[in-house]
Amino acid sequence: MKKILCALCVLCGFHSAFALDRQAFTFTDYDLRIKVTPATQSFEAEGKVSLRNDTALPQRNLVLQISITLAWNSITVAGKPVQYLTESYASDVDHTGALSEAVLTLPQPVLPQATVEIELSYSGKIPPDSTRLTRIGVPAKRAANSDWDRISESFTGVRGVGHVAWYPVATEAASLSEGDQVFASVMAWKERQSRSRMRLSFCWPGEAQLVANGQNAAAAMQPAGLSCQAVQYEPLGTVVPAFVIGSYRALNQPPMTIQYLAGHESYARTWATAGEKIAPFVAQWFGPRKRPVQIVELPDRNLYPYEGGSVLFTPLPGGEEKDIQVVLAHQLAHASFQSPRLWMDEGLAHFAQALVREQQGGRTAALAYMDERLPPLQEAEKEFLPGASGKASGPPPRGQSLINATDEVFFRTKAMFVWWMLRDMVGDDALERAIRAYRPDQDKDASYFQRLLGDQFHRDLEWFFDDWVYRDRGLPEFHIAAAYPRKLIPEDWSVTVTVENSGSAGAEVPVAVRAAQGEERKRLEVRAHEKAAVRIPIPVVPEQAVVNDGSVPEFDMNNNSVEIKTPQTSQ
Ligand SMILES: [Zn+2]
């Protein structure tokens, strides 16, 4: 049996050398003319795409994928029709869960590093579709509010790969039921095409406006009865091209431009005011803005916001100004600070939100804001739970080091906590200075930011970066091993609190001794699987010792306090 299997392996290996390599080419240049007709939901595209062979072998086959609701009309190379087969290819990088894949057989192989230009035309409809979500059990309404992409009379809004393949791509199949496979696949696609450029020329009937997340350019043509707008992405960077068409008006109020729908001017003003108020605070932390912040209204208040490059697509009505400030803190942080590392880029934008929450309601409000986001992180890290049983069976561990994380719960939530802990450890000034000294083009190795911070703050942080950033060691798990009170002369007490961390990640954590009249706090470094003690003086009779105010994410916050027993008679 073993022999047969091995023989099969050899055959498979042999075969795969000739199998379709969907990642062989990089799409270096898009030049598409697009006509969108909301009344009929139709989408028509024609133009050119250039692809470069990035493998070491000549390539004769080439893959082009578009959403399954679109169909290929023609594909030519140098004006000559080229042989191709089209098939449905299941993948959740499109909202329908399927792509219309054309596999081309080129007349000549494309040599390594050579580029081939393909002329193509495709068309169809882009109706709303949330099949990929409903089939994994997401309730229909939530699925529809999340996958809101469509061309329709009432609303036209379409995001690119990861939502709708409205421009040709080539990706390996990815399924939403396989962890973060879809996200990782889209990330890999974006990274690969980040230096590529895309020029789009949109036309649509009527007077409505088109807003996209690229650079506007003058449209080359303006056919009668159509409105046209050219948009460029040079380079694409990590942006997923997205556009909306509607009766938009613009409110320009630095640092933001808000595209709002008719009748919603007052909402737009609330957003503009909110942004204006917090912009100086965010700039103080993250530096001067390097790009504008653009807000584009989504027409239904139930639709989920979407962050696409410098544009936030979001419903405008309904929010209180304070909550809008928290939302905008994220966008403003992105406008000031950019990094190719997600845990920095997104993590700091989420950290900015917690900082604004703290400005509004103090540390308690900020910790409550972060705590709401904690349960999915505890779930993702549970394989590190002290006493967790073997990991031989079941799905593969989800653990990811922050530095390489592609799962949102890590590079958003865990990163937010890590930035907060660092700030608690080094102080605002040192962290602000390190953040502002950061240069994305100099971020060549994993420890770059740790060095920047080390320049500002002269204490060993290696252990912290090891436990939280460079590796995934789960979360700490604190409890109070002992709390010994001692009466001093005349009225004061001192309590020696011993904290045990049974988790595999160390942290510096606040420890408090409480009494009815108030509390005293100190910070204590408790490394993984270790105990540490701190003496906390308090001028009244101590009643309770508590570890962790919620600023350190841990597995269980319910075993963090003990009552302090003081002798009835003083010695
Ligand atoms: Zn973001």
Side-chain angles (χ1 to χ4, degrees), residues 26 56 95 116 121 132 156 214 278 305 319 336 391-392 416 462 505 525:
T26 301
H95 62 161
V116 59
S121 140
R132 63 172 179 172
T156 291
I278 57 154
S336 290
K391 297 140 206 161
M416 171 183 70
E462 184 77 30
E525 192 178 296

Side-chain angles (χ1 to χ4, degrees), residues 16 27 80 113 147 159 186 299 367 428 466 489 502 504 542:
S16 70
F27 289 54
K80 296 199 182 83
Q113 291 308 306
D147 272 348
R159 296 165 283 185
V186 172
L367 296 184
D428 289 15
D466 260 348
I489 294 166
S502 52
S504 306

Side-chain angles (χ1 to χ4, degrees), residues 307 330 334 346 412:
E307 201 187 334
H330 189 103
H334 277 319
E346 284 302 332
R412 293 184 191 278

Side-chain angles (χ1 to χ4, degrees), residues 206-226:
E207 301 294 309
Q209 277 75 45
L210 176 136
V211 190
N213 55 355
Q215 220 117 59
N216 280 352
M221 296 193 305
Q222 195 91 26
L226 297 181

Side-chain angles (χ1 to χ4, degrees), residues 7-8 11 39 59 75 110 231 234 273 379 442 491 493 539 541:
L8 282 173
L11 282 177
Q59 297 288 338
I75 301 176
V110 181
V231 180
E234 298 194 57
T273 310
E379 174 65 26
Q442 287 169 27
E491 291 296 314
W493 290 77
V541 180

Side-chain angles (χ1 to χ4, degrees), residues 454-485:
D455 293 343
Q456 306 295 335
F457 180 78
H458 308 284
R459 210 183 91 190
D460 173 30
L461 291 171
E462 184 77 30
W463 64 274
F464 182 85
F465 275 85
D466 260 348
D467 282 5
W468 290 92
V469 181
Y470 307 142
R471 288 163 220 278
D472 186 6
R473 295 204 165 124
L475 304 176
E477 174 47 31
F478 301 113
H479 75 274
I480 293 186
Y484 290 118

Side-chain angles (χ1 to χ4, degrees), residues 116-181:
V116 59
E117 189 179 88
I118 312 230
E119 303 101 38
L120 38 79
S121 140
Y122 57 95
S123 61
K125 292 174 192 273
I126 302 184
D129 193 321
S130 47
T131 308
R132 63 172 179 172
L133 293 174
T134 48
R135 76 179 171 203
I136 57 163
V138 177
K141 225 178 187 149
R142 252 182 66 200
N145 288 338
S146 174
D147 272 348
W148 44 253
D149 308 82
R150 74 193 62 182
I151 293 173
S152 75
E153 189 103 70
S154 60
F155 170 52
T156 291
V158 190
R159 296 165 283 185
V161 63
H163 299 274
V164 182
W166 56 268
Y167 46 87
V169 298
T171 55
E172 291 297 336
S175 165
L176 282 174
S177 55
E178 297 295 328
D180 64 343
Q181 203 179 58

